[in-house]
């Protein structure tokens, strides 16, 4: 997938699930009400989650810092943030969160990893987590467990040489191994794909779910069959479990 396809397919995928809304609610609850918030998001992308969190978190203003390797996404997020009255300042870098020694990253109260830590293997990822703990009072990590739905993503990470990516089970093992205290909440989200969904959206959904260009049949019936294999069909929808674990560290 090139970057544009990734973003389009990711947007379609996310529009069919309540996962983001439920994650925002849980993260907002963990952050809680107060006057001002300082937040750093590692792997912020173009801020699909972060912009919703900023809008909904019960804080008067937000100072936002973000890091992502995707320069186009960073540009897009910068321009979105510039238009938000609630954001009293922001800095977004095109950089890898693996560059843990990047001194441009300012300490903030909260450090956030939303669906991003799993791009890193356990060794590199835990080095990032440990460094981030020095910069932030509290870390919030939202990551899915490794399951049938994200198996193809895990396979693509393996092909890129990522060893033991930090999906929820591995992250819990690693935090325990290093004696880092954490609490988790399981957000019981699901994906509901209407069987009436147009073919181009089914194709975008499958491309993102398979994490590679869709190689199967592309008639509407074939696409729907492939989606139906991922879940159970009821009341005009294919329903696919899509849980996420929200870790509070510190
Ligand atoms: C699934 S997206 C999540 C984006 C955003 N946090 C959200 O929830 O809307 C994962 C993001 O992690 C970024 N990413 C992957 N590896 C990274 C790394 N080593 N350093 C920084 N960002 C990375 C990708 O470019 C992508 O934008």
């Amino acid at each position: 997938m090139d970057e544009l396809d990734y973003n389009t397919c990711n947007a379609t995928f996310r529009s069919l699930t309540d996962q983001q809304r439920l994650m925002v609610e849980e993260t907002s609850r963990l952050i809680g009400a107060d006057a001002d918030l300082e937040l750093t998001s590692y792997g912020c992308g173009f801020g699909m989650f972060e912009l919703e969190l900023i809008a909904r978190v019960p804080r008067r203003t937000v100072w936002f810092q973000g890091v992502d390797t995707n320069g186009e996404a960073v540009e897009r997020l910068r321009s979105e943030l510039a238009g938000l009255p609630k954001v009293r300042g922001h800095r977004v870098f095109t950089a890898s969160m693996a560059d843990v020694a990047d001194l441009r990253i300012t300490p903030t109260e909260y450090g956030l990893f939303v669906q991003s830590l799993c791009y890193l293997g356990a060794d590199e990822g835990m080095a990032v987590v440990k460094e981030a703990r020095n910069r932030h009072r509290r870390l919030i990590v939202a990551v899915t467990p490794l399951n049938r739905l994200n198996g193809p993503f895990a396979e693509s990470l393996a092909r890129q040489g990522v060893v033991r990516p930090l999906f929820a089970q591995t992250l819990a093992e690693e935090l325990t191994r290093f004696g880092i205290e954490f609490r988790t909440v399981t957000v019981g989200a699901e994906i509901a794909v209407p069987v009436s969904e147009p073919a181009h959206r089914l194709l975008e959904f499958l491309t993102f779910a398979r994490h590679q260009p869709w190689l199967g049949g592309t008639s509407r019936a074939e696409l729907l069959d492939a989606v139906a294999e991922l879940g159970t069909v009821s009341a005009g929808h294919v329903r696919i479990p899509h849980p996420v674990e929200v870790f509070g560290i510190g």
Side-chain angles (χ1 to χ4, degrees):
M1 268 193 275
D2 63 29
E3 300 298 356
L4 184 66
D5 278 343
Y6 175 88
N7 286 334
T8 309
C9 297
N10 188 13
T12 300
F13 186 90
R14 290 213 191 179
S15 71
L16 295 168
T17 173
D18 56 5
Q19 191 188 64
Q20 174 162 309
R21 177 179 60 77
L22 296 175
M23 274 194 307
V24 166
E25 283 172 12
E26 183 56 32
T27 308
S28 228
R29 195 186 64 71
L30 287 175
I31 290 175
D34 207 336
D36 303 312
L37 173 66
E38 291 185 353
L39 179 67
T40 301
S41 176
Y42 296 86
C44 54
F46 61 92
M48 220 183 304
F49 173 91
E50 289 76 359
L51 293 169
E52 189 173 339
L53 178 69
I54 289 168
R56 296 182 62 153
V57 72
R59 297 290 184 106
R60 197 182 52 192
T61 69
V62 177
W63 187 85
F64 180 86
Q65 180 169 239
V67 176
D68 202 286
T69 42
N70 180 341
E72 274 178 45
V74 164
E75 278 299 320
R76 181 170 160 183
L77 178 54
R78 274 192 196 127
S79 71
E80 295 274 356
L81 289 165
L84 296 179
K86 191 173 178 181
V87 175
R88 69 175 188 279
H90 66 273
R91 344 164 48 175
V92 192
F93 303 113
T94 303
S96 172
M97 61 180 136
D99 296 335
V100 286
D102 191 332
L103 294 176
R104 290 176 300 173
I105 300 169
T106 303
T108 57
E109 183 185 7
Y110 282 90
L112 197 65
F113 296 81
V114 175
Q115 307 282 35
S116 55
L117 202 52
C118 55
Y119 285 75
L120 301 185
D123 290 348
E124 193 174 42
M126 288 309 292
V128 173
V129 168
K130 287 182 207 162
E131 174 63 21
R133 288 185 81 213
N134 296 329
R135 292 170 188 247
H136 311 290
R137 188 175 65 76
R138 192 153 193 218
L139 301 183
I140 298 175
V141 182
V143 69
T144 55
L146 187 53
N147 57 25
R148 183 162 165 245
L149 186 64
N150 52 34
F153 173 45
E155 283 163 23
S156 97
L157 290 172
R159 285 195 295 275
Q160 295 164 50
V162 178
V163 178
R164 297 185 67 232
L166 287 177
F167 288 100
Q169 301 96 327
T170 309
L171 177 59
E173 281 165 25
E174 289 292 301
L175 290 169
T176 305
R177 187 162 78 88
F178 286 107
I180 299 172
E181 281 185 25
F182 64 95
R183 294 155 302 288
T184 60
V185 174
T186 303
V187 171
E190 71 167 13
I191 300 166
V193 185
V195 297
S196 58
E197 198 69 353
H200 77 274
R201 298 236 322 154
L202 293 170
L203 183 60
E204 286 163 6
F205 174 83
L206 282 167
T207 300
F208 190 80
R210 306 301 304 170
H211 214 73
Q212 59 187 27
W214 174 245
L215 301 172
T218 52
S219 73
R220 197 173 164 285
E222 286 168 313
L223 292 168
L224 194 54
D225 277 353
V227 173
E229 274 174 26
L230 297 169
T232 51
V233 184
S234 74
H237 287 78
V238 181
R239 298 191 179 278
I240 306 161
H242 193 31
V244 64
E245 294 289 325
V246 179
F247 290 72
I249 302 168

